[in-house]
Structures are given as C-alpha cells and as structure tokens.
mmCIF file with all atom_site columns, all heavy atoms in Angstrom:
data_model
loop_
_atom_site.group_PDB
_atom_site.id
_atom_site.type_symbol
_atom_site.label_atom_id
_atom_site.label_alt_id
_atom_site.label_comp_id
_atom_site.label_asym_id
_atom_site.label_entity_id
_atom_site.label_seq_id
_atom_site.pdbx_PDB_ins_code
_atom_site.Cartn_x
_atom_site.Cartn_y
_atom_site.Cartn_z
_atom_site.occupancy
_atom_site.B_iso_or_equiv
_atom_site.pdbx_formal_charge
_atom_site.auth_seq_id
_atom_site.auth_comp_id
_atom_site.auth_asym_id
_atom_site.auth_atom_id
_atom_site.pdbx_PDB_model_num
ATOM 1   N N   . GLY A 1 1  ? -5.257  7.066   4.203   1.00 95.00 ? 1  GLY A N   1
ATOM 2   C CA  . GLY A 1 1  ? -5.418  7.245   5.630   1.00 95.00 ? 1  GLY A CA  1
ATOM 3   C C   . GLY A 1 1  ? -4.137  6.980   6.384   1.00 95.00 ? 1  GLY A C   1
ATOM 4   O O   . GLY A 1 1  ? -3.117  6.617   5.805   1.00 95.00 ? 1  GLY A O   1
ATOM 5   N N   . THR A 1 2  ? -4.234  7.164   7.681   1.00 95.00 ? 2  THR A N   1
ATOM 6   C CA  . THR A 1 2  ? -3.130  6.868   8.593   1.00 95.00 ? 2  THR A CA  1
ATOM 7   C C   . THR A 1 2  ? -3.722  6.250   9.846   1.00 95.00 ? 2  THR A C   1
ATOM 8   O O   . THR A 1 2  ? -4.721  6.736   10.369  1.00 95.00 ? 2  THR A O   1
ATOM 9   C CB  . THR A 1 2  ? -2.360  8.152   8.977   1.00 95.00 ? 2  THR A CB  1
ATOM 10  O OG1 . THR A 1 2  ? -1.910  8.791   7.793   1.00 95.00 ? 2  THR A OG1 1
ATOM 11  C CG2 . THR A 1 2  ? -1.154  7.829   9.838   1.00 95.00 ? 2  THR A CG2 1
ATOM 12  N N   . VAL A 1 3  ? -3.107  5.168   10.303  1.00 96.00 ? 3  VAL A N   1
ATOM 13  C CA  . VAL A 1 3  ? -3.520  4.538   11.545  1.00 96.00 ? 3  VAL A CA  1
ATOM 14  C C   . VAL A 1 3  ? -2.256  4.143   12.315  1.00 96.00 ? 3  VAL A C   1
ATOM 15  O O   . VAL A 1 3  ? -1.343  3.542   11.742  1.00 96.00 ? 3  VAL A O   1
ATOM 16  C CB  . VAL A 1 3  ? -4.450  3.330   11.315  1.00 96.00 ? 3  VAL A CB  1
ATOM 17  C CG1 . VAL A 1 3  ? -3.781  2.234   10.518  1.00 96.00 ? 3  VAL A CG1 1
ATOM 18  C CG2 . VAL A 1 3  ? -4.973  2.788   12.627  1.00 96.00 ? 3  VAL A CG2 1
ATOM 19  N N   . ASP A 1 4  ? -2.200  4.517   13.571  1.00 93.00 ? 4  ASP A N   1
ATOM 20  C CA  . ASP A 1 4  ? -1.049  4.198   14.427  1.00 93.00 ? 4  ASP A CA  1
ATOM 21  C C   . ASP A 1 4  ? 0.276   4.559   13.763  1.00 93.00 ? 4  ASP A C   1
ATOM 22  O O   . ASP A 1 4  ? 1.265   3.828   13.882  1.00 93.00 ? 4  ASP A O   1
ATOM 23  C CB  . ASP A 1 4  ? -1.044  2.711   14.807  1.00 93.00 ? 4  ASP A CB  1
ATOM 24  C CG  . ASP A 1 4  ? -2.245  2.320   15.648  1.00 93.00 ? 4  ASP A CG  1
ATOM 25  O OD1 . ASP A 1 4  ? -2.734  3.176   16.419  1.00 93.00 ? 4  ASP A OD1 1
ATOM 26  O OD2 . ASP A 1 4  ? -2.700  1.164   15.537  1.00 93.00 ? 4  ASP A OD2 1
ATOM 27  N N   . GLY A 1 5  ? 0.291   5.651   13.007  1.00 96.00 ? 5  GLY A N   1
ATOM 28  C CA  . GLY A 1 5  ? 1.517   6.102   12.356  1.00 96.00 ? 5  GLY A CA  1
ATOM 29  C C   . GLY A 1 5  ? 1.834   5.412   11.049  1.00 96.00 ? 5  GLY A C   1
ATOM 30  O O   . GLY A 1 5  ? 2.908   5.605   10.484  1.00 96.00 ? 5  GLY A O   1
ATOM 31  N N   . THR A 1 6  ? 0.915   4.604   10.541  1.00 98.00 ? 6  THR A N   1
ATOM 32  C CA  . THR A 1 6  ? 1.104   3.916   9.262   1.00 98.00 ? 6  THR A CA  1
ATOM 33  C C   . THR A 1 6  ? 0.264   4.594   8.194   1.00 98.00 ? 6  THR A C   1
ATOM 34  O O   . THR A 1 6  ? -0.966  4.631   8.299   1.00 98.00 ? 6  THR A O   1
ATOM 35  C CB  . THR A 1 6  ? 0.705   2.429   9.362   1.00 98.00 ? 6  THR A CB  1
ATOM 36  O OG1 . THR A 1 6  ? 1.556   1.777   10.305  1.00 98.00 ? 6  THR A OG1 1
ATOM 37  C CG2 . THR A 1 6  ? 0.812   1.732   8.011   1.00 98.00 ? 6  THR A CG2 1
ATOM 38  N N   . ALA A 1 7  ? 0.926   5.107   7.162   1.00 98.00 ? 7  ALA A N   1
ATOM 39  C CA  . ALA A 1 7  ? 0.231   5.721   6.034   1.00 98.00 ? 7  ALA A CA  1
ATOM 40  C C   . ALA A 1 7  ? -0.144  4.619   5.042   1.00 98.00 ? 7  ALA A C   1
ATOM 41  O O   . ALA A 1 7  ? 0.685   3.780   4.696   1.00 98.00 ? 7  ALA A O   1
ATOM 42  C CB  . ALA A 1 7  ? 1.131   6.745   5.359   1.00 98.00 ? 7  ALA A CB  1
ATOM 43  N N   . TYR A 1 8  ? -1.407  4.634   4.598   1.00 98.00 ? 8  TYR A N   1
ATOM 44  C CA  . TYR A 1 8  ? -1.876  3.584   3.704   1.00 98.00 ? 8  TYR A CA  1
ATOM 45  C C   . TYR A 1 8  ? -2.838  4.136   2.658   1.00 98.00 ? 8  TYR A C   1
ATOM 46  O O   . TYR A 1 8  ? -3.378  5.225   2.795   1.00 98.00 ? 8  TYR A O   1
ATOM 47  C CB  . TYR A 1 8  ? -2.551  2.459   4.492   1.00 98.00 ? 8  TYR A CB  1
ATOM 48  C CG  . TYR A 1 8  ? -3.842  2.872   5.155   1.00 98.00 ? 8  TYR A CG  1
ATOM 49  C CD1 . TYR A 1 8  ? -5.066  2.740   4.491   1.00 98.00 ? 8  TYR A CD1 1
ATOM 50  C CD2 . TYR A 1 8  ? -3.861  3.395   6.439   1.00 98.00 ? 8  TYR A CD2 1
ATOM 51  C CE1 . TYR A 1 8  ? -6.255  3.125   5.089   1.00 98.00 ? 8  TYR A CE1 1
ATOM 52  C CE2 . TYR A 1 8  ? -5.035  3.774   7.052   1.00 98.00 ? 8  TYR A CE2 1
ATOM 53  C CZ  . TYR A 1 8  ? -6.230  3.633   6.368   1.00 98.00 ? 8  TYR A CZ  1
ATOM 54  O OH  . TYR A 1 8  ? -7.403  4.016   6.965   1.00 98.00 ? 8  TYR A OH  1
ATOM 55  N N   . THR A 1 9  ? -3.052  3.321   1.622   1.00 98.00 ? 9  THR A N   1
ATOM 56  C CA  . THR A 1 9  ? -4.011  3.626   0.568   1.00 98.00 ? 9  THR A CA  1
ATOM 57  C C   . THR A 1 9  ? -4.778  2.350   0.241   1.00 98.00 ? 9  THR A C   1
ATOM 58  O O   . THR A 1 9  ? -4.180  1.265   0.173   1.00 98.00 ? 9  THR A O   1
ATOM 59  C CB  . THR A 1 9  ? -3.296  4.132   -0.706  1.00 98.00 ? 9  THR A CB  1
ATOM 60  O OG1 . THR A 1 9  ? -2.507  5.274   -0.370  1.00 98.00 ? 9  THR A OG1 1
ATOM 61  C CG2 . THR A 1 9  ? -4.287  4.501   -1.798  1.00 98.00 ? 9  THR A CG2 1
ATOM 62  N N   . VAL A 1 10 ? -6.084  2.473   0.051   1.00 98.00 ? 10 VAL A N   1
ATOM 63  C CA  . VAL A 1 10 ? -6.932  1.349   -0.352  1.00 98.00 ? 10 VAL A CA  1
ATOM 64  C C   . VAL A 1 10 ? -7.665  1.766   -1.619  1.00 98.00 ? 10 VAL A C   1
ATOM 65  O O   . VAL A 1 10 ? -8.281  2.829   -1.667  1.00 98.00 ? 10 VAL A O   1
ATOM 66  C CB  . VAL A 1 10 ? -7.957  0.982   0.741   1.00 98.00 ? 10 VAL A CB  1
ATOM 67  C CG1 . VAL A 1 10 ? -8.832  -0.174  0.286   1.00 98.00 ? 10 VAL A CG1 1
ATOM 68  C CG2 . VAL A 1 10 ? -7.251  0.649   2.051   1.00 98.00 ? 10 VAL A CG2 1
ATOM 69  N N   . VAL A 1 11 ? -7.579  0.909   -2.652  1.00 98.00 ? 11 VAL A N   1
ATOM 70  C CA  . VAL A 1 11 ? -8.192  1.204   -3.941  1.00 98.00 ? 11 VAL A CA  1
ATOM 71  C C   . VAL A 1 11 ? -8.922  -0.045  -4.431  1.00 98.00 ? 11 VAL A C   1
ATOM 72  O O   . VAL A 1 11 ? -8.415  -1.161  -4.294  1.00 98.00 ? 11 VAL A O   1
ATOM 73  C CB  . VAL A 1 11 ? -7.123  1.604   -4.985  1.00 98.00 ? 11 VAL A CB  1
ATOM 74  C CG1 . VAL A 1 11 ? -7.750  1.912   -6.330  1.00 98.00 ? 11 VAL A CG1 1
ATOM 75  C CG2 . VAL A 1 11 ? -6.292  2.779   -4.499  1.00 98.00 ? 11 VAL A CG2 1
ATOM 76  N N   . GLY A 1 12 ? -10.097 0.124   -5.015  1.00 97.00 ? 12 GLY A N   1
ATOM 77  C CA  . GLY A 1 12 ? -10.818 -0.978  -5.639  1.00 97.00 ? 12 GLY A CA  1
ATOM 78  C C   . GLY A 1 12 ? -11.658 -1.768  -4.663  1.00 97.00 ? 12 GLY A C   1
ATOM 79  O O   . GLY A 1 12 ? -11.704 -1.495  -3.467  1.00 97.00 ? 12 GLY A O   1
ATOM 80  N N   . THR A 1 13 ? -12.334 -2.785  -5.221  1.00 97.00 ? 13 THR A N   1
ATOM 81  C CA  . THR A 1 13 ? -13.165 -3.681  -4.424  1.00 97.00 ? 13 THR A CA  1
ATOM 82  C C   . THR A 1 13 ? -12.928 -5.110  -4.890  1.00 97.00 ? 13 THR A C   1
ATOM 83  O O   . THR A 1 13 ? -12.485 -5.350  -6.000  1.00 97.00 ? 13 THR A O   1
ATOM 84  C CB  . THR A 1 13 ? -14.665 -3.352  -4.570  1.00 97.00 ? 13 THR A CB  1
ATOM 85  O OG1 . THR A 1 13 ? -15.033 -3.459  -5.944  1.00 97.00 ? 13 THR A OG1 1
ATOM 86  C CG2 . THR A 1 13 ? -14.987 -1.961  -4.053  1.00 97.00 ? 13 THR A CG2 1
ATOM 87  N N   . GLY A 1 14 ? -13.248 -6.038  -4.020  1.00 97.00 ? 14 GLY A N   1
ATOM 88  C CA  . GLY A 1 14 ? -13.068 -7.450  -4.329  1.00 97.00 ? 14 GLY A CA  1
ATOM 89  C C   . GLY A 1 14 ? -12.156 -8.096  -3.303  1.00 97.00 ? 14 GLY A C   1
ATOM 90  O O   . GLY A 1 14 ? -11.969 -7.589  -2.200  1.00 97.00 ? 14 GLY A O   1
ATOM 91  N N   . GLU A 1 15 ? -11.585 -9.244  -3.683  1.00 98.00 ? 15 GLU A N   1
ATOM 92  C CA  . GLU A 1 15 ? -10.661 -9.945  -2.799  1.00 98.00 ? 15 GLU A CA  1
ATOM 93  C C   . GLU A 1 15 ? -9.474  -9.041  -2.489  1.00 98.00 ? 15 GLU A C   1
ATOM 94  O O   . GLU A 1 15 ? -8.872  -8.472  -3.395  1.00 98.00 ? 15 GLU A O   1
ATOM 95  C CB  . GLU A 1 15 ? -10.164 -11.234 -3.463  1.00 98.00 ? 15 GLU A CB  1
ATOM 96  C CG  . GLU A 1 15 ? -11.241 -12.263 -3.702  1.00 98.00 ? 15 GLU A CG  1
ATOM 97  C CD  . GLU A 1 15 ? -11.709 -12.915 -2.413  1.00 98.00 ? 15 GLU A CD  1
ATOM 98  O OE1 . GLU A 1 15 ? -10.884 -13.108 -1.494  1.00 98.00 ? 15 GLU A OE1 1
ATOM 99  O OE2 . GLU A 1 15 ? -12.913 -13.215 -2.320  1.00 98.00 ? 15 GLU A OE2 1
ATOM 100 N N   . PRO A 1 16 ? -9.103  -8.894  -1.212  1.00 98.00 ? 16 PRO A N   1
ATOM 101 C CA  . PRO A 1 16 ? -8.000  -8.007  -0.846  1.00 98.00 ? 16 PRO A CA  1
ATOM 102 C C   . PRO A 1 16 ? -6.629  -8.545  -1.273  1.00 98.00 ? 16 PRO A C   1
ATOM 103 O O   . PRO A 1 16 ? -6.350  -9.739  -1.155  1.00 98.00 ? 16 PRO A O   1
ATOM 104 C CB  . PRO A 1 16 ? -8.070  -7.937  0.681   1.00 98.00 ? 16 PRO A CB  1
ATOM 105 C CG  . PRO A 1 16 ? -9.422  -8.437  1.040   1.00 98.00 ? 16 PRO A CG  1
ATOM 106 C CD  . PRO A 1 16 ? -9.807  -9.399  -0.036  1.00 98.00 ? 16 PRO A CD  1
ATOM 107 N N   . VAL A 1 17 ? -5.805  -7.626  -1.751  1.00 98.00 ? 17 VAL A N   1
ATOM 108 C CA  . VAL A 1 17 ? -4.408  -7.892  -2.086  1.00 98.00 ? 17 VAL A CA  1
ATOM 109 C C   . VAL A 1 17 ? -3.586  -6.801  -1.412  1.00 98.00 ? 17 VAL A C   1
ATOM 110 O O   . VAL A 1 17 ? -3.883  -5.617  -1.566  1.00 98.00 ? 17 VAL A O   1
ATOM 111 C CB  . VAL A 1 17 ? -4.162  -7.863  -3.611  1.00 98.00 ? 17 VAL A CB  1
ATOM 112 C CG1 . VAL A 1 17 ? -2.681  -8.012  -3.928  1.00 98.00 ? 17 VAL A CG1 1
ATOM 113 C CG2 . VAL A 1 17 ? -4.969  -8.933  -4.315  1.00 98.00 ? 17 VAL A CG2 1
ATOM 114 N N   . VAL A 1 18 ? -2.565  -7.204  -0.665  1.00 98.00 ? 18 VAL A N   1
ATOM 115 C CA  . VAL A 1 18 ? -1.684  -6.250  0.005   1.00 98.00 ? 18 VAL A CA  1
ATOM 116 C C   . VAL A 1 18 ? -0.328  -6.294  -0.682  1.00 98.00 ? 18 VAL A C   1
ATOM 117 O O   . VAL A 1 18 ? 0.232   -7.376  -0.897  1.00 98.00 ? 18 VAL A O   1
ATOM 118 C CB  . VAL A 1 18 ? -1.509  -6.594  1.502   1.00 98.00 ? 18 VAL A CB  1
ATOM 119 C CG1 . VAL A 1 18 ? -0.616  -5.566  2.185   1.00 98.00 ? 18 VAL A CG1 1
ATOM 120 C CG2 . VAL A 1 18 ? -2.847  -6.705  2.197   1.00 98.00 ? 18 VAL A CG2 1
ATOM 121 N N   . LEU A 1 19 ? 0.207   -5.120  -1.017  1.00 98.00 ? 19 LEU A N   1
ATOM 122 C CA  . LEU A 1 19 ? 1.512   -5.021  -1.666  1.00 98.00 ? 19 LEU A CA  1
ATOM 123 C C   . LEU A 1 19 ? 2.471   -4.335  -0.697  1.00 98.00 ? 19 LEU A C   1
ATOM 124 O O   . LEU A 1 19 ? 2.211   -3.222  -0.240  1.00 98.00 ? 19 LEU A O   1
ATOM 125 C CB  . LEU A 1 19 ? 1.395   -4.225  -2.964  1.00 98.00 ? 19 LEU A CB  1
ATOM 126 C CG  . LEU A 1 19 ? 0.373   -4.766  -3.974  1.00 98.00 ? 19 LEU A CG  1
ATOM 127 C CD1 . LEU A 1 19 ? 0.258   -3.825  -5.171  1.00 98.00 ? 19 LEU A CD1 1
ATOM 128 C CD2 . LEU A 1 19 ? 0.739   -6.168  -4.427  1.00 98.00 ? 19 LEU A CD2 1
ATOM 129 N N   . VAL A 1 20 ? 3.591   -4.995  -0.392  1.00 98.00 ? 20 VAL A N   1
ATOM 130 C CA  . VAL A 1 20 ? 4.558   -4.509  0.596   1.00 98.00 ? 20 VAL A CA  1
ATOM 131 C C   . VAL A 1 20 ? 5.866   -4.172  -0.120  1.00 98.00 ? 20 VAL A C   1
ATOM 132 O O   . VAL A 1 20 ? 6.495   -5.047  -0.714  1.00 98.00 ? 20 VAL A O   1
ATOM 133 C CB  . VAL A 1 20 ? 4.807   -5.563  1.702   1.00 98.00 ? 20 VAL A CB  1
ATOM 134 C CG1 . VAL A 1 20 ? 5.690   -4.993  2.797   1.00 98.00 ? 20 VAL A CG1 1
ATOM 135 C CG2 . VAL A 1 20 ? 3.496   -6.083  2.271   1.00 98.00 ? 20 VAL A CG2 1
ATOM 136 N N   . HIS A 1 21 ? 6.274   -2.915  -0.049  1.00 98.00 ? 21 HIS A N   1
ATOM 137 C CA  . HIS A 1 21 ? 7.473   -2.457  -0.760  1.00 98.00 ? 21 HIS A CA  1
ATOM 138 C C   . HIS A 1 21 ? 8.760   -2.820  -0.026  1.00 98.00 ? 21 HIS A C   1
ATOM 139 O O   . HIS A 1 21 ? 8.746   -3.245  1.132   1.00 98.00 ? 21 HIS A O   1
ATOM 140 C CB  . HIS A 1 21 ? 7.401   -0.944  -1.003  1.00 98.00 ? 21 HIS A CB  1
ATOM 141 C CG  . HIS A 1 21 ? 7.454   -0.124  0.252   1.00 98.00 ? 21 HIS A CG  1
ATOM 142 N ND1 . HIS A 1 21 ? 8.625   0.156   0.910   1.00 98.00 ? 21 HIS A ND1 1
ATOM 143 C CD2 . HIS A 1 21 ? 6.478   0.468   0.973   1.00 98.00 ? 21 HIS A CD2 1
ATOM 144 C CE1 . HIS A 1 21 ? 8.382   0.899   1.973   1.00 98.00 ? 21 HIS A CE1 1
ATOM 145 N NE2 . HIS A 1 21 ? 7.071   1.096   2.042   1.00 98.00 ? 21 HIS A NE2 1
ATOM 146 N N   . GLY A 1 22 ? 9.876   -2.618  -0.700  1.00 97.00 ? 22 GLY A N   1
ATOM 147 C CA  . GLY A 1 22 ? 11.190  -2.902  -0.134  1.00 97.00 ? 22 GLY A CA  1
ATOM 148 C C   . GLY A 1 22 ? 11.838  -1.677  0.493   1.00 97.00 ? 22 GLY A C   1
ATOM 149 O O   . GLY A 1 22 ? 11.260  -0.583  0.548   1.00 97.00 ? 22 GLY A O   1
ATOM 150 N N   . VAL A 1 23 ? 13.072  -1.850  0.944   1.00 95.00 ? 23 VAL A N   1
ATOM 151 C CA  . VAL A 1 23 ? 13.845  -0.800  1.609   1.00 95.00 ? 23 VAL A CA  1
ATOM 152 C C   . VAL A 1 23 ? 14.070  0.381   0.669   1.00 95.00 ? 23 VAL A C   1
ATOM 153 O O   . VAL A 1 23 ? 14.368  0.207   -0.512  1.00 95.00 ? 23 VAL A O   1
ATOM 154 C CB  . VAL A 1 23 ? 15.204  -1.348  2.090   1.00 95.00 ? 23 VAL A CB  1
ATOM 155 C CG1 . VAL A 1 23 ? 16.106  -0.243  2.607   1.00 95.00 ? 23 VAL A CG1 1
ATOM 156 C CG2 . VAL A 1 23 ? 15.005  -2.404  3.160   1.00 95.00 ? 23 VAL A CG2 1
ATOM 157 N N   . GLY A 1 24 ? 13.919  1.576   1.222   1.00 95.00 ? 24 GLY A N   1
ATOM 158 C CA  . GLY A 1 24 ? 14.184  2.796   0.469   1.00 95.00 ? 24 GLY A CA  1
ATOM 159 C C   . GLY A 1 24 ? 13.076  3.186   -0.490  1.00 95.00 ? 24 GLY A C   1
ATOM 160 O O   . GLY A 1 24 ? 13.232  4.119   -1.274  1.00 95.00 ? 24 GLY A O   1
ATOM 161 N N   . MET A 1 25 ? 11.970  2.489   -0.453  1.00 97.00 ? 25 MET A N   1
ATOM 162 C CA  . MET A 1 25 ? 10.849  2.758   -1.344  1.00 97.00 ? 25 MET A CA  1
ATOM 163 C C   . MET A 1 25 ? 9.645   3.234   -0.527  1.00 97.00 ? 25 MET A C   1
ATOM 164 O O   . MET A 1 25 ? 9.711   3.322   0.691   1.00 97.00 ? 25 MET A O   1
ATOM 165 C CB  . MET A 1 25 ? 10.489  1.502   -2.129  1.00 97.00 ? 25 MET A CB  1
ATOM 166 C CG  . MET A 1 25 ? 11.596  0.978   -2.987  1.00 97.00 ? 25 MET A CG  1
ATOM 167 S SD  . MET A 1 25 ? 11.121  -0.577  -3.777  1.00 97.00 ? 25 MET A SD  1
ATOM 168 C CE  . MET A 1 25 ? 12.608  -0.930  -4.679  1.00 97.00 ? 25 MET A CE  1
ATOM 169 N N   . THR A 1 26 ? 8.555   3.506   -1.217  1.00 98.00 ? 26 THR A N   1
ATOM 170 C CA  . THR A 1 26 ? 7.296   3.836   -0.574  1.00 98.00 ? 26 THR A CA  1
ATOM 171 C C   . THR A 1 26 ? 6.190   3.086   -1.297  1.00 98.00 ? 26 THR A C   1
ATOM 172 O O   . THR A 1 26 ? 6.429   2.438   -2.325  1.00 98.00 ? 26 THR A O   1
ATOM 173 C CB  . THR A 1 26 ? 6.984   5.352   -0.637  1.00 98.00 ? 26 THR A CB  1
ATOM 174 O OG1 . THR A 1 26 ? 6.748   5.718   -2.002  1.00 98.00 ? 26 THR A OG1 1
ATOM 175 C CG2 . THR A 1 26 ? 8.120   6.176   -0.045  1.00 98.00 ? 26 THR A CG2 1
ATOM 176 N N   . GLN A 1 27 ? 4.981   3.241   -0.809  1.00 98.00 ? 27 GLN A N   1
ATOM 177 C CA  . GLN A 1 27 ? 3.833   2.591   -1.445  1.00 98.00 ? 27 GLN A CA  1
ATOM 178 C C   . GLN A 1 27 ? 3.664   3.012   -2.897  1.00 98.00 ? 27 GLN A C   1
ATOM 179 O O   . GLN A 1 27 ? 3.103   2.272   -3.710  1.00 98.00 ? 27 GLN A O   1
ATOM 180 C CB  . GLN A 1 27 ? 2.565   2.859   -0.648  1.00 98.00 ? 27 GLN A CB  1
ATOM 181 C CG  . GLN A 1 27 ? 2.195   4.325   -0.523  1.00 98.00 ? 27 GLN A CG  1
ATOM 182 C CD  . GLN A 1 27 ? 0.953   4.540   0.301   1.00 98.00 ? 27 GLN A CD  1
ATOM 183 O OE1 . GLN A 1 27 ? -0.150  4.231   -0.138  1.00 98.00 ? 27 GLN A OE1 1
ATOM 184 N NE2 . GLN A 1 27 ? 1.107   5.079   1.507   1.00 98.00 ? 27 GLN A NE2 1
ATOM 185 N N   . ALA A 1 28 ? 4.185   4.178   -3.271  1.00 97.00 ? 28 ALA A N   1
ATOM 186 C CA  . ALA A 1 28 ? 4.048   4.681   -4.639  1.00 97.00 ? 28 ALA A CA  1
ATOM 187 C C   . ALA A 1 28 ? 4.725   3.782   -5.670  1.00 97.00 ? 28 ALA A C   1
ATOM 188 O O   . ALA A 1 28 ? 4.338   3.794   -6.842  1.00 97.00 ? 28 ALA A O   1
ATOM 189 C CB  . ALA A 1 28 ? 4.610   6.098   -4.738  1.00 97.00 ? 28 ALA A CB  1
ATOM 190 N N   . VAL A 1 29 ? 5.699   2.981   -5.247  1.00 98.00 ? 29 VAL A N   1
ATOM 191 C CA  . VAL A 1 29 ? 6.400   2.106   -6.181  1.00 98.00 ? 29 VAL A CA  1
ATOM 192 C C   . VAL A 1 29 ? 5.436   1.099   -6.833  1.00 98.00 ? 29 VAL A C   1
ATOM 193 O O   . VAL A 1 29 ? 5.672   0.617   -7.936  1.00 98.00 ? 29 VAL A O   1
ATOM 194 C CB  . VAL A 1 29 ? 7.576   1.384   -5.492  1.00 98.00 ? 29 VAL A CB  1
ATOM 195 C CG1 . VAL A 1 29 ? 7.103   0.302   -4.555  1.00 98.00 ? 29 VAL A CG1 1
ATOM 196 C CG2 . VAL A 1 29 ? 8.541   0.823   -6.519  1.00 98.00 ? 29 VAL A CG2 1
ATOM 197 N N   . TRP A 1 30 ? 4.331   0.817   -6.173  1.00 98.00 ? 30 TRP A N   1
ATOM 198 C CA  . TRP A 1 30 ? 3.365   -0.167  -6.652  1.00 98.00 ? 30 TRP A CA  1
ATOM 199 C C   . TRP A 1 30 ? 2.300   0.426   -7.587  1.00 98.00 ? 30 TRP A C   1
ATOM 200 O O   . TRP A 1 30 ? 1.396   -0.279  -8.016  1.00 98.00 ? 30 TRP A O   1
ATOM 201 C CB  . TRP A 1 30 ? 2.650   -0.825  -5.476  1.00 98.00 ? 30 TRP A CB  1
ATOM 202 C CG  . TRP A 1 30 ? 3.514   -1.696  -4.623  1.00 98.00 ? 30 TRP A CG  1
ATOM 203 C CD1 . TRP A 1 30 ? 3.937   -1.438  -3.355  1.00 98.00 ? 30 TRP A CD1 1
ATOM 204 C CD2 . TRP A 1 30 ? 4.036   -2.983  -4.958  1.00 98.00 ? 30 TRP A CD2 1
ATOM 205 N NE1 . TRP A 1 30 ? 4.686   -2.484  -2.876  1.00 98.00 ? 30 TRP A NE1 1
ATOM 206 C CE2 . TRP A 1 30 ? 4.766   -3.449  -3.842  1.00 98.00 ? 30 TRP A CE2 1
ATOM 207 C CE3 . TRP A 1 30 ? 3.965   -3.796  -6.098  1.00 98.00 ? 30 TRP A CE3 1
ATOM 208 C CZ2 . TRP A 1 30 ? 5.419   -4.678  -3.826  1.00 98.00 ? 30 TRP A CZ2 1
ATOM 209 C CZ3 . TRP A 1 30 ? 4.610   -5.025  -6.080  1.00 98.00 ? 30 TRP A CZ3 1
ATOM 210 C CH2 . TRP A 1 30 ? 5.322   -5.449  -4.957  1.00 98.00 ? 30 TRP A CH2 1
ATOM 211 N N   . GLU A 1 31 ? 2.382   1.701   -7.909  1.00 96.00 ? 31 GLU A N   1
ATOM 212 C CA  . GLU A 1 31 ? 1.324   2.364   -8.671  1.00 96.00 ? 31 GLU A CA  1
ATOM 213 C C   . GLU A 1 31 ? 0.889   1.621   -9.938  1.00 96.00 ? 31 GLU A C   1
ATOM 214 O O   . GLU A 1 31 ? -0.320  1.437   -10.150 1.00 96.00 ? 31 GLU A O   1
ATOM 215 C CB  . GLU A 1 31 ? 1.736   3.799   -9.014  1.00 96.00 ? 31 GLU A CB  1
ATOM 216 C CG  . GLU A 1 31 ? 0.603   4.608   -9.589  1.00 96.00 ? 31 GLU A CG  1
ATOM 217 C CD  . GLU A 1 31 ? 0.978   6.068   -9.780  1.00 96.00 ? 31 GLU A CD  1
ATOM 218 O OE1 . GLU A 1 31 ? 1.696   6.623   -8.921  1.00 96.00 ? 31 GLU A OE1 1
ATOM 219 O OE2 . GLU A 1 31 ? 0.548   6.643   -10.788 1.00 96.00 ? 31 GLU A OE2 1
ATOM 220 N N   . PRO A 1 32 ? 1.808   1.153   -10.796 1.00 96.00 ? 32 PRO A N   1
ATOM 221 C CA  . PRO A 1 32 ? 1.342   0.416   -11.996 1.00 96.00 ? 32 PRO A CA  1
ATOM 222 C C   . PRO A 1 32 ? 0.558   -0.855  -11.652 1.00 96.00 ? 32 PRO A C   1
ATOM 223 O O   . PRO A 1 32 ? -0.440  -1.174  -12.306 1.00 96.00 ? 32 PRO A O   1
ATOM 224 C CB  . PRO A 1 32 ? 2.634   0.071   -12.737 1.00 96.00 ? 32 PRO A CB  1
ATOM 225 C CG  . PRO A 1 32 ? 3.636   1.067   -12.238 1.00 96.00 ? 32 PRO A CG  1
ATOM 226 C CD  . PRO A 1 32 ? 3.256   1.339   -10.809 1.00 96.00 ? 32 PRO A CD  1
#
C-alpha cells in the first residue's frame, strides 16, 4: 500500500516488527 506518499508492505501475523532500510536502499533489501 501507500499512505501519505509512503510505500509499504505488511506480511504475516503476530507481534509487529518494523524493518527500516538505510540510505540508497529500498524495502526490498529486507526480503530474506
């Protein structure tokens, strides 16, 4: 989804964990 110009992905259920990437990367870096 996208909210207020922020592209995001939510996968799975349970306790939430947020992964924040570094400079020059995207959320895809966290795929593994």
Side-chain angles (χ1 to χ4, degrees):
T2 304
V3 61
D4 296 329
T6 297
Y8 67 90
T9 303
V10 179
V11 180
T13 59
E15 295 288 326
V17 175
V18 181
L19 304 175
V20 186
H21 66 80
V23 172
M25 300 176 181
T26 67
Q27 61 181 288
V29 73
W30 292 109
E31 190 174 322

